[in-house]
Amino acid sequence: MIIFVVNCGSSSIKYQLLNMNGEQVLAKGLIERIGMEGSVLKHTPTGKYTVDISAEIPDHSVGIQMALDALTNEEYGVIDSMDEIDAVGHRVVHGGERFTDSVLISDDVLNGIEACAEIAPLHNPPNLYGIKACMRLMYNTPQVAVFDTAFHQTMPKVAYLYGLPYEMYVKYGLRRYGFHGTSHKYVAQQAAEMMGEHMSDLRFITCHLGNGASIAAIKYGKSIDTSMGYTPLEGLVMGTRSGEIDPAIIPFLMEKENMNAQQIDDYLNRRSGILGISGLSSDFRDLESAANRGDERSQLAIDIFAYKVKKYIGGYVAAMGGVDAIIFTAGLGENSPFMRDKICNGLEYLGTRIDPELNKLRGKQMEISIKRARVKIFVIPTNEELVIARDTLNICRRIIKL
Ligand code: AMP
C-alpha cells in the first residue's frame, strides 16, 4: 500500500511517499515560499540526488500538483501514475476536543477542522488548503487527518484547565491542548519496544527539543500532562518563543512599548526565546559556539533552557509518582550531547546517569544511560511522517477495508 503524507505550513509543504510494505520511504520533498517570490520545490527520490524545481507557486493547490508531478516524473519520479497512491495522510495541527484520534476525512470532519481554526488561526487554515487540494486532485483516494493535539486528549482536567473562570473554558474552549502529539507518541512507542515492555506498564517523560520544544508525561500509555497549552507558545523557552511568562507582562509591554495585540503576539512568538535572551540566534548550534567563545548571553540562554527542561522533568516525575525512562528527540534532543548532559546532570537522585561515551553518538536510536541505571535515558529520532502513514494505513484497513 502506497501512502502520500502531506504536511502543509503557511508557506510550505513537506511531503513523503511511503510504501507501507516494509515502511519504506520512496521519496520526500519540500516546497518553500508558497505565494512569494523565489518559490521552489526540492524533491528527493530515496537514494538519489535532490532535484530543485523553481516555479511560480501561488498557492497550496499548485504546490500539491507539483509534488504529484514530481512523484510521477519519468526521470526522477518513483511511481508511474497518481492512481498508485492508495491513501493520503494529512498532518493537522489542532483537533480541539472533538478529535481524540486520527480520522477518515468526510465533509463533517472538514467542518470540524474548520471549526478548530478559530483556536489555531495560523496552523489549521494551511492544513485545510492541503486537504482540499488533495481531495480535488485525488477525489477517489481516501484522506486521513492526523492531529498534533489528539494524543494529549487523555490529559485530566487538573492538567488542562487554566486558573480562569470556568465559563471561559465552556464558552471559548480556553484550556491546554498540547502539541507535538505524534512525536511524543512515536518516541514513547519506540522506547517501550526497546525496553521489551508494553507502554501500558511504563512511565515516560518525552522531551521534544527542537525549534519548537515541548515535554510530555506519559503514564501507562497515556499523555497525562504536557508543557504546551492553548497554543504552542506555552511551556519551555524555545528558539524564538518566550514559553511561560507572567501574564501581567503582556499589558505592561503593550503599554510601555506601545504594542497592539498582533505586535505583542509577534514579539512573544518570533522575537523572544533563546533568540531574545542571547540577542544572537535561535539556533542552539550558534549559541554553543558563541558560548565557547565566551559570549555570556548565549551561555545564559543555554543555561535557562536546560534549567527549564530539568524543572519540567522534576515536575512530571512528581505528577506520575516516578519515571521509568526519559527520552530525547527532535533537532536538539537528537543531536546535542552537550545539552542532554546538561539537562541530566543533577538527576542522579532519580536513579539515572548518562554514559558519557554513549552520549557522544548523534541522531540514531539508542540508550545513553549507564547499564545499571534504574531510570533509562534514550535518544530516539522522531518520525512524525511514519506515524501519519501508519495511522492512515490502519484507518483505511479498519474503516474502508482497503
Ligand atoms: P527541529 O525544529 O526539530 O528541526 O530542530 C531544530 C533545532 O535543533 C535547531 O534550531 C538547532 O537549535 C537544533 N540542532 C540541530 N542540530 C543540532 C546540533 N548538531 N547541535 C545542537 N543543536 C542542534
Side-chain angles (χ1 to χ4, degrees):
M1 185 151 162
I2 291 187
I3 292 180
F4 183 40
V5 173
V6 178
N7 179 357
C8 286
S10 56
S11 64
S12 70
I13 302 174
K14 277 192 220 157
Y15 64 85
Q16 280 193 13
L17 193 72
L18 292 102
N19 184 344
M20 295 309 282
N21 304 328
E23 297 189 331
Q24 236 188 329
V25 177
L26 301 174
K28 55 173 79 170
L30 171 66
I31 300 172
E32 287 179 298
R33 302 183 62 81
I34 294 174
M36 298 179 223
E37 236 174 74
S39 38
V40 63
L41 161 63
K42 291 176 192 287
H43 172 80
T44 316
T46 300
K48 295 199 185 141
Y49 53 89
T50 297
V51 190
D52 281 17
I53 307 162
S54 294
E56 200 182 323
I57 311 177
D59 56 39
H60 289 74
S61 192
V62 173
I64 297 278
Q65 180 67 66
M66 279 182 68
L68 291 169
D69 289 345
L71 289 167
T72 52
N73 182 280
E74 266 194 12
E75 192 190 328
Y76 44 78
V78 289
I79 48 174
D80 292 330
S81 116
M82 260 162 54
D83 297 341
E84 288 178 46
I85 298 175
D86 295 292
V88 186
H90 296 270
R91 175 188 181 216
V92 179
V93 170
H94 219 305
E97 287 192 329
R98 171 170 167 184
F99 299 108
T100 56
D101 212 340
S102 306
V103 285
L104 188 68
I105 299 175
S106 61
D107 285 346
D108 182 43
V109 168
L110 267 184
N111 290 339
I113 298 173
E114 230 144 37
C116 295
E118 195 175 319
I119 37 180
L122 297 181
H123 296 100
N124 276 28
N127 299 157
L128 277 162
Y129 300 147
I131 294 172
K132 287 181 178 169
C134 287
M135 288 174 92
R136 243 188 335 268
L137 294 166
M138 294 179 272
Y139 48 87
N140 279 328
T141 311
Q143 316 271 332
V144 168
V146 180
F147 300 91
D148 270 23
T149 49
F151 183 60
H152 299 302
Q153 276 298 304
T154 46
M155 280 195 286
K157 267 195 171 144
V158 290
Y160 74 66
L161 279 187
Y162 289 116
L164 289 169
Y166 195 84
E167 302 85 85
M168 294 301 105
Y169 164 58
V170 178
K171 200 168 169 188
Y172 300 118
L174 270 181
R175 50 156 286 180
R176 307 181 59 254
Y177 291 94
F179 297 86
H180 294 141
T182 40
S183 176
H184 288 292
K185 177 175 158 187
Y186 173 77
V187 298
Q189 283 170 340
Q190 293 297 110
E193 208 175 300
M194 285 173 83
M195 292 169 80
E197 294 186 55
H198 291 291
M199 245 168 90
S200 53
D201 295 323
L202 296 162
R203 292 158 301 179
F204 290 133
I205 295 173
T206 48
C207 308
H208 178 111
L209 310 180
N211 209 358
S214 70
I215 304 197
I218 303 172
K219 187 177 186 184
Y220 307 139
K222 291 186 173 151
S223 171
I224 63 142
D225 206 348
T226 189
S227 56
M228 284 178 169
Y230 178 66
T231 73
L233 181 58
E234 192 184 337
L236 298 171
V237 167
M238 303 177 221
T240 60
R241 292 176 227 165
S242 65
E244 61 209 3
I245 57 169
D246 182 338
I249 292 170
I250 294 170
F252 177 88
L253 275 180
M254 287 172 84
E255 194 194 324
K256 296 283 180 196
E257 294 285 314
N258 206 13
M259 288 190 227
N260 61 28
Q262 205 193 329
Q263 286 165 328
I264 190 81
D265 189 64
D266 185 66
Y267 194 71
L268 298 176
N269 272 294
R270 296 192 184 82
R271 293 199 278 146
S272 301
I274 58 162
L275 169 68
I277 298 168
S278 67
L280 182 81
S281 171
S282 62
D283 192 310
F284 280 95
R285 285 165 288 202
D286 298 335
L287 298 194
E288 283 181 25
S289 38
N292 285 338
R293 292 193 305 269
D295 185 82
E296 278 179 26
R297 273 170 57 188
S298 295
Q299 184 63 55
L300 186 60
I302 291 170
D303 292 347
I304 291 172
F305 181 84
Y307 177 71
K308 289 256 183 201
V309 175
K310 193 182 299 212
K311 258 183 30 170
Y312 265 100
I313 291 174
Y316 287 167
V317 172
M320 294 195 291
V323 61
D324 298 299
I326 297 168
I327 302 155
F328 289 100
T329 192
L332 181 70
E334 290 166 27
N335 294 299
S336 177
F338 166 77
M339 186 55 83
R340 293 193 297 250
D341 186 58
K342 198 167 171 63
I343 291 166
C344 292
N345 189 347
L347 294 182
E348 293 78 14
Y349 73 95
L350 291 176
T352 192
R353 191 175 307 156
I354 277 194
D355 179 321
E357 283 309 308
L358 292 176
N359 188 37
K360 282 182 189 156
L361 303 170
R362 289 164 190 256
K364 70 185 248 263
Q365 187 163 305
M366 60 196 166
E367 185 179 334
I368 56 165
S369 42
I370 55 169
K371 263 219 160 63
R372 60 181 186 283
R374 202 170 63 245
V375 174
K376 307 212 169 293
I377 305 173
F378 294 103
V379 173
I380 300 183
T382 194
N383 195 339
E384 291 166 277
E385 288 78 12
L386 184 57
V387 177
I388 294 171
R390 280 179 182 167
D391 276 15
T392 303
L393 176 72
N394 290 338
I395 284 178
C396 289
R397 280 196 175 143
R398 207 173 60 228
I399 300 182
I400 44 180
K401 315 276 182 240
L402 208 69

